[in-house]
Every structure is written in C-alpha cells, then in structure tokens.
Amino acid sequence: MHRAGAFGQLAAGNLSAAALAAQLDSTRELLSSPASPDGALPVEPLPVAPLPVGVNLFVPDPDTAEAAALEGYRAALRPVADALGAEVPEVPAWSDDDFPAKVELLVSRPVAVVSFTFGLPAAEVVRRLQEVGSAVVITVADRPGALRAAQLRPDGLVVQGQQAGGHRSVLDMHDDPDPIDTADLLRTVRGALEGHRDGDDGDGGSASLPLIGAGGVGTAEDVAALCDAGAQAVQVGTQFLTASEAGTRAPHRETVLDPARRETVVTRAFSGRPARGLRNRFIDQMDRHAVTGYPQVNQLTAPLRAAAAAAGDAEHLSLWAGTRTDACREEPAADVVARLTP
C-alpha cells in the first residue's frame, strides 16, 4: 500500500501496548526490507524515527454502562451462544484498553501519524506526541465534535460521514450518529471552523485545519467529490477488505463480495457502540436487545464471534463494512490505490 502511494495505519484498538510494540517491530522490518516479495523496487533504510506509518488508538470511554443492562444483554445472548456451541462470559470489568501505556510507547517510539477514535485525547497527550514528531489526527462525526477537537490544536481531523463502515466516532457512545453524508459533513465542518475563527472566542488556526474525508468511497469519482467538498485527503477502509493482502476472515470477505448482500445497517449489538456493517442474522436477532456499553459488550460477544468464524458462519460475525461494498473486488492493495486515484 505504501509503495503504491497510500499511507497505512495500524489499528491499535483492543491491542495491548506489548502487542502494538510487536506490530511496530514487524512493520519497521517490512518497510526496511530491500525488496518486497512481489519484486517491488528497493526502499531506502528507515530512519530511527518516526516510523512512516500511522497508528490509530481508541480513546477509552468513561465507565457509564449500566450493570443491570449488561446483565440483561448477557442473558439475551445465551440462546445464540448455545446454538454456536459457545459460552457467554461473565460481564467483564471496564477496561481502559491499555491506553496510557500505548501513548507512552508512541512517545518513546514515534510514528508519523497518531489518530484517535471514540473520543478526545487530553491536550497533554496531543502536545507530547507532536513534540516527538508525530502528527495528531482526531476522528469526528459531527459539527460539535469537530469544534471540540479543533480546540486541542491537532494536525488534522478525520471527518466521518454516515456511509463509513465500522465504528462511528461519536464522542459519547450513548449518542446516535448524525445521519449526514460525508461530503455534506465536510462542508458543515469547514464552515463551522471558519465561523469559529471569525467569532469573538475564535482560534485563528482552526479554519485552515486539514480535513480527511471518510465514508462512501468506492471510486476515483467518490474521492474527487470529497476533495471538492473540502477534504485534503481521503481515508478508505471497506475497499481494502477484499484486497489480496488483507487478513479479512473468509466468510466476511465472501459476504462483502456477494452482490446479493449489499444492505448495511448501524448496530450496537456486537460492541455496545454504533457501528455500520452488513446486515445478518445476529443483528436481526439481537438489535432489539442491544445496550450501550463499550468495551463490555464487545467482550461479551467475542466468544460468539470467534465460534462463528471457526465455523465459517457469516451470520454471526461483525461484518463491518461501509456503503460501497458494490465497488469491492479481489485485487492487490496497490490496484485499489490506483483505481481510487483521481
């Protein structure tokens, strides 16, 4: 992907700091290798820092889930678990996702970009990462979130519209996502930042803050449209699900490529946070029981998802995907980059 002209990120949500460190080691080794297995041109050895990739961190939610609601959802999951031959664990304790340790790791071993999803990092975290040479990017899903994020003086905002696959980066997990398309949200956020600059309490730098559009990208024309709406760059996820190099589970990959399975919905049933994925039986069964509570719900459903994956059962997997699965195809990641380039 990097050699084709794109910029990749490591997904560090739900990883320990030790696991992230191992991924940074393997990524450095991969990017420093004299040539790729497919015979690509050699690359220059990497400098010590920063590693020319990004890392995405989940900002931990406050522990606001209701214990009784989580127990009720656990009970509702039991029939599904029984059918899959899986166990529903006890309701787990809230976890901070090893967030402080991962921040310390990235301060000591910088990467080019650190992006944040699910919330706002502390101003001190932003400052420390920037001081070691990392650009800081914050993901937002609505106008108020963008204005709050801009106050932290990041180096850019990922503006995530309703078409985006996977988790929507609402800053409060109890909020429902704003049903606005990415291009419209880009224009709204740009206008809000410009207005904020011009206001009495404005910040002169926020109006020029780079915006990265995310959601609804399947073609080069989609990329161009988001750039026309105010994006300086575009973030893509769904189109890489079926890339040759992707580690996507086989039933997930097959469902994404199935022309009869195009409907995506936003659900809390798998993780306790709103996320967009392909509609399946689990969502149909459990959406009415779903409760808010991340990461506890995510951990409650993990054994069920693991059992479904082992059985090749797409009906009980979290089939995260955006609205442009119609454009997905089996091809190398470099070809995905090429066909999305205007």
Side-chain angles (χ1 to χ4, degrees):
M1 181 189 297
H2 276 70
R3 288 166 178 157
F7 180 82
Q9 294 195 77
L10 298 175
N14 298 317
L15 287 185
S16 67
L20 175 58
Q23 285 201 7
L24 291 174
D25 287 340
S26 60
T27 301
R28 178 174 292 280
E29 182 178 356
L30 176 66
L31 294 180
S32 298
S33 61
S36 68
D38 62 1
L41 292 176
V43 294
E44 293 298 321
L46 295 177
V48 173
L51 187 65
V53 296
V55 170
N56 177 254
L57 298 179
F58 290 170
V59 179
D61 287 297
D63 185 12
T64 57
E66 297 180 4
L70 292 172
E71 286 291 353
Y73 194 59
R74 178 174 179 267
L77 286 169
R78 284 184 186 138
V80 180
D82 290 344
L84 291 168
E87 295 289 335
V88 183
E90 297 296 324
V91 174
W94 177 85
S95 165
D96 67 2
D97 196 35
D98 214 12
F99 182 79
K102 286 186 281 196
V103 170
E104 293 302 320
L105 172 67
L106 293 172
V107 169
S108 64
R109 298 178 57 184
V111 296
V113 175
V114 179
S115 65
F116 293 93
T117 300
F118 288 179
L120 303 180
E124 176 70 4
V125 169
V126 174
R127 182 189 64 78
R128 291 181 67 205
L129 290 167
Q130 290 173 331
E131 285 179 349
V132 297
S134 297
V136 172
V137 176
I138 300 174
T139 310
V140 297
D142 54 29
R143 178 184 182 278
L147 289 174
R148 289 175 59 194
Q151 292 298 308
L152 295 172
R153 297 181 177 271
D155 299 284
L157 300 179
V158 172
V159 178
Q160 188 189 46
Q162 69 166 344
Q163 308 103 307
H167 285 95
R168 192 80 184 277
S169 194
V170 290
L171 300 187
D172 184 334
M173 66 177 169
H174 295 273
D175 289 344
D176 291 325
D178 191 356
I180 183 171
D181 288 351
T182 307
D184 291 336
L185 184 57
L186 281 164
R187 286 186 281 265
T188 297
V189 167
R190 176 57 68 207
L193 293 177
E194 291 174 350
H196 184 60
R197 174 197 62 186
D198 296 335
D200 293 339
D201 60 347
D203 179 343
S206 63
S208 60
L209 193 61
L211 303 182
I212 302 164
V217 176
T219 65
E221 290 75 19
D222 295 331
V223 172
L226 294 188
C227 292
D228 288 344
Q232 280 70 49
V234 172
Q235 180 171 291
V236 181
T238 299
Q239 297 305 306
F240 289 102
L241 286 173
T242 54
S244 308
E245 302 90 340
T248 312
R249 289 165 165 165
H252 191 172
R253 181 187 295 267
E254 292 163 5
T255 309
V256 168
L257 291 169
D258 185 349
R261 299 290 295 271
R262 296 294 184 221
E263 183 183 4
T264 63
V265 294
V266 175
T267 182
R268 297 176 189 265
F270 285 107
S271 73
R273 258 188 164 271
R276 183 175 293 281
L278 290 161
R279 182 178 176 181
N280 62 5
R281 190 178 307 144
F282 184 90
I283 294 173
D284 288 343
Q285 287 178 288
M286 299 307 301
D287 216 34
R288 65 183 181 275
H289 302 291
V291 297
T292 297
Y294 186 92
Q296 295 96 321
V297 173
N298 192 60
Q299 294 169 19
L300 282 175
T301 65
L304 284 68
R305 290 180 277 124
D313 175 10
E315 294 303 323
H316 295 89
L317 284 179
S318 48
L319 304 172
W320 301 142
T323 58
R324 290 307 312 272
T325 57
D326 61 298
C328 290
R329 60 186 74 164
E330 293 186 283
E331 60 188 346
D335 290 356
V336 178
V337 175
R339 70 176 169 82
L340 293 180
T341 303

